[in-house]
Amino acid sequence: MTTYDADGITLEKVREYVWEIPQEGDMRTPARVLASEALLDEISDDKTLQQIKNATHLPGITNHAICMPDGHQGYGFPVGGVGALDAKNGCISPGAVGYDINCGVRMMTTNLTYDDVRGNEEELVDALFANVPSGLGGGGIVKGDADAIEGILARGVEWAVEEGYGVEDDLRACEDEGRRPDADPSAVSQKAKDRGRNQIGSLGSGNHFLEIQRVTDVFREDVGDAFDLREDQIVVLIHCGSRGLGHQVCNDYLRKIEKQHADLLDRLPDKELAAAPAGSELAEEYYGAMCAAINFAWVNRQLIMHRTRRVFERVFDRTWEQMEMQLLYDVAHNIAKKESHDVDGESRELYVHRKGATRAFPAGHPEVPAAYRDVGQPIIIPGSMGAGSYVLRGGDKSMTETFGSTAHGAGRLMSRTAAKDTYWGGDVQDELEQDGVYVKAQSGATVAEEAPGVYKDVDEVVRVSDALGIGDKVARTFPVCNIKG
DNA sequence: ATGTCC
């Protein structure tokens, strides 16, 4: 048997790109790591493997805890981790969702080509930077009163479209049509609502950005046609989350769950995995609050997208409809969701935790929007500023291998602190400009933290996803210009 | 990720 020895943990090779940490001690299932040896080398000396192993201690864990090809260590549970926990007899764990609830990405297509944008990069970026709030702290596109917050948390993108920030077609291209029906705004603390109120429609900081990109390759023509993607086309990528509101929801419930369910916590190997038993009051409340934060993040991306349409109208002196600025899809990268999955021939209701992982439902799945049902769900995988991004489609193996999931990005290689010691923002911007990528940022430190060199090779991550058949390559993009927090 | 420490 082929094995891989990491720092204190031995993985057994199941088949190409599939590694297993065998069940032992209090593990309830084995853990699986989906990676090439090159990707394993990147996580062999940090806590990633220990964390995915720890996740198998969670009650109700089904089949395996799974680490995606872009996995790296996170709070308690790896970023790039998938944990399907029984929704009746298992539990739900905020640390396995992540602090930035529904951090995610949406892509908008256009009928512009690279030639239309070339030479206008600076004007475009300056206009976007002036019109899309970014960076830490407050200030959003909408100043929300109490009614607005309730509407956003309860009704998601439906609220935004009613208020004039988008059109009905936008709903059809969004997972759950932009509304998580299980949302319970009353489970969101006043403090969380107050933090969210003046951040409605704002990018935030860290790895969040708005990027204008050009399509450089289409690998599957039939799927590219269904997604309206073609070479040299200009597309817009928006990456952001639920800002202070989601962060506060996560923090509020972690503290409550640690206290209320200390007995369960005592049996777990890491305090950061704190979980509420399925059916408990806190499990229901956290789920309702998390779903409300999901809606908030969707509205956030919707408002930024609609504002981007307005900016393009001014810069290119055409209506956004004339430029065919359509939402391709919006994917959530940090959520837990009740889903039915076939487990050993039986349909089971599971809380599928995807933390830094993307839903990847294949062709034919009833929850894939009608426009894409014949080809599979669009998946958007942002790379780093210098590397570009990918569009995939849900692969045929995702339902049997990964509870309908794949990777979410390149995955960090270096901590933010280490990045700031290694890079200087201005130098990174100069180097990117030499590659034809124009970046404007609120903070030079953020540019250093997000330098292309701090990320894994997105090509390798996507190659493994494609080879496993969980998310298939459809198109590749390269950045043209970018605004950051 | 995050009013980067309640």
Side-chain angles (χ1 to χ4, degrees):
Chain A
M1 186 201 307
T2 308
T3 59
Y4 183 99
D5 284 309
D7 185 25
I9 292 178
T10 299
L11 297 115
E12 296 177 355
K13 188 170 181 173
V14 178
R15 58 179 182 278
E16 187 73 338
Y17 308 133
V18 181
W19 302 84
E20 195 156 289
I21 304 172
Q23 189 177 348
E24 58 165 41
D26 290 332
M27 290 170 74
R28 294 166 186 263
T29 66
R32 282 200 168 181
V33 182
L34 308 181
S36 60
E37 295 200 30
L39 289 168
L40 281 179
D41 290 343
E42 314 281 16
I43 53 172
S44 57
D45 59 354
D46 65 13
K47 291 195 288 192
T48 314
L49 296 170
Q50 187 60 51
Q51 286 183 338
I52 202 66
K53 191 177 170 186
N54 291 345
T56 66
H57 293 240
L58 287 165
I61 183 86
T62 304
N63 291 353
H64 336 270
I66 309 165
C67 183
M68 293 295 145
D70 55 335
H72 60 96
Q73 66 180 40
Y75 180 89
F77 190 93
V79 178
V82 173
L85 309 179
D86 194 284
K88 240 193 208 148
N89 307 309
C91 60
I92 188 164
S93 172
V97 170
Y99 266 93
D100 190 3
I101 296 166
N102 194 8
C103 172
V105 192
R106 64 168 55 191
M107 182 178 278
M108 177 165 60
T109 55
T110 75
N111 65 11
L112 302 175
T113 65
Y114 184 42
D115 280 342
D116 295 321
V117 172
R118 206 193 304 236
N120 294 320
E121 290 97 335
E122 206 164 329
E123 185 191 359
L124 190 55
V125 158
D126 289 348
L128 287 167
F129 198 75
N131 285 283
V132 177
S134 65
L136 280 172
I141 289 170
V142 171
K143 176 81 184 140
D145 57 17
D147 283 350
I149 280 284
E150 295 298 316
I152 290 164
L153 294 177
R155 302 199 349 271
V157 184
E158 261 180 39
W159 174 90
V161 170
E162 273 171 32
E163 297 288 321
Y165 303 105
V167 293
E168 293 283 329
D169 275 348
D170 297 336
L171 301 173
R172 283 187 271 279
C174 200
E175 187 171 314
D176 291 325
E177 302 199 321
R179 177 186 185 181
R180 251 321 27 231
D182 302 321
D184 178 4
S186 74
V188 177
S189 69
Q190 192 56 49
K191 192 175 178 185
K193 289 172 182 169
D194 288 343
R195 286 183 71 175
R197 187 177 297 193
N198 64 347
Q199 298 183 325
I200 308 163
S202 64
L203 271 179
S205 185
N207 63 352
H208 291 162
F209 61 79
L210 185 158
E211 193 164 89
I212 311 299
Q213 310 180 322
R214 67 179 198 270
V215 176
T216 54
D217 306 272
V218 176
F219 305 105
R220 283 177 164 83
E221 289 291 340
D222 56 331
V223 188
D225 286 348
F227 290 177
D228 188 32
L229 293 170
R230 55 201 165 270
E231 280 179 26
D232 233 29
Q233 177 186 20
I234 291 295
V235 298
V236 180
L237 198 74
I238 295 163
H239 181 194
C240 62
S242 50
R243 304 292 330 275
L245 184 140
H247 190 272
Q248 191 64 47
V249 166
C250 181
N251 207 47
D252 287 343
Y253 281 96
L254 275 171
R255 299 294 90 84
K256 285 188 193 178
I257 290 169
E258 283 165 1
K259 228 169 137 185
Q260 184 78 33
H261 297 289
D263 48 340
L264 171 52
L265 188 52
D266 285 342
R267 304 200 306 273
L268 295 171
D270 185 347
K271 178 175 175 278
E272 295 181 352
L273 279 179
S280 68
E281 205 173 306
L282 275 180
E284 294 300 319
E285 282 181 25
Y286 169 66
Y287 190 64
M290 178 196 48
C291 287
I294 290 175
N295 285 338
F296 183 90
W298 272 332
V299 169
N300 199 18
R301 293 196 284 277
Q302 176 70 26
L303 295 188
I304 292 169
M305 179 182 78
H306 204 62
R307 178 60 65 88
T308 301
R309 287 169 168 161
R310 298 288 180 225
V311 169
F312 270 65
E313 285 183 330
R314 264 174 276 162
V315 171
F316 295 102
D317 199 25
R318 273 170 272 178
T319 67
W320 69 263
E321 290 92 342
Q322 284 171 331
M323 290 178 276
E324 297 175 15
M325 302 181 78
Q326 308 289 346
L327 176 59
L328 166 65
Y329 202 63
D330 181 306
V331 295
H333 284 165
N334 274 5
I335 58 164
K337 214 164 160 181
K338 266 187 204 168
E339 292 175 5
S340 294
H341 285 267
D342 186 80
V343 182
D344 300 328
E346 184 193 345
S347 176
R348 293 244 314 269
E349 191 85 349
L350 305 167
Y351 284 123
V352 181
H353 296 64
R354 296 190 184 93
K355 178 185 183 181
T358 312
R359 197 182 79 168
F361 284 174
H365 194 290
E367 285 185 50
V368 177
Y372 309 129
R373 201 162 299 150
D374 290 344
V375 293
Q377 177 210 304
I379 298 156
I380 301 149
I381 303 210
S384 69
M385 288 186 283
S389 307
Y390 278 90
V391 178
L392 316 188
R393 60 95 177 259
D396 284 340
K397 299 273 173 43
S398 72
M399 298 311 285
T400 50
E401 296 295 320
T402 54
F403 298 98
S405 318
T406 190
H408 86 305
R412 287 194 85 84
L413 278 175
M414 202 186 280
S415 73
R416 294 185 177 283
T417 323
K420 278 185 283 195
D421 290 341
T422 313
Y423 297 98
W424 190 67
D427 291 341
V428 174
Q429 272 166 308
D430 289 346
E431 276 171 42
L432 285 164
E433 200 158 343
Q434 278 170 24
D435 287 338
V437 184
Y438 184 59
V439 177
K440 196 173 173 92
Q442 291 285 356
S443 128
T446 307
V447 178
E449 289 175 7
E450 297 298 321
V454 314
Y455 282 95
K456 292 183 203 183
D457 180 1
V458 70
D459 296 296
E460 177 71 355
V461 169
V462 167
R463 191 179 69 79
V464 171
S465 169
D466 188 279
L468 287 166
I470 56 176
D472 307 328
K473 272 162 66 163
V474 175
R476 202 187 191 297
T477 64
F478 192 80
V480 174
C481 48
N482 178 305
I483 68 166
K484 296 195 59 60

